Amino acid sequence: MKNLTFNYKNQAFTDSTIIAQGAGVEHRAVTQLIKNYHDDISEFGRVTFQMLPLATNGGVQNIKVYRLNEQQATFVISLMNLL
């Protein structure tokens, strides 16, 4: 099983791919929620992301994966009923 959290600079984080997988929705749906509610999510701390390679039939593409702290992740998960 994939780890649900990881440590970065002594703080626990999860990411948008883990939330999408756990909720059974596409990653782009979670990233769209994060984009739409970015200002609200930012109230719980800085919203960070990293670009990760993703192999597709057309070749390798980069996807934006958001890193979220516990409060941010909880808020995003509570927004999932909007999907």
Side-chain angles (χ1 to χ4, degrees):
M1 178 178 197
K2 185 177 178 179
N3 288 337
L4 300 179
T5 63
F6 55 91
N7 286 318
Y8 179 73
K9 294 187 177 182
N10 240 6
Q11 291 188 345
F13 287 87
T14 192
D15 69 41
S16 51
T17 61
I18 293 169
I19 293 173
Q21 182 181 12
V25 298
E26 291 186 19
H27 181 249
R28 65 179 161 181
V30 175
T31 59
Q32 191 62 47
L33 270 178
I34 293 169
K35 289 176 189 176
N36 289 346
Y37 291 91
H38 185 273
D39 292 342
D40 297 319
I41 295 168
S42 294
E43 291 182 22
F44 300 107
R46 184 174 175 206
V47 178
T48 61
F49 67 90
Q50 65 186 66
M51 300 300 288
L52 295 178
L54 175 69
T56 66
N57 291 338
V60 177
Q61 298 180 4
N62 289 321
I63 61 167
K64 187 183 277 191
V65 177
Y66 289 93
R67 290 182 177 174
L68 304 170
N69 65 32
E70 182 180 0
Q71 293 84 12
Q72 292 168 327
T74 301
F75 184 71
V76 169
I77 291 167
S78 70
L79 294 171
M80 299 298 284
N81 65 353
L82 300 176
L83 295 179

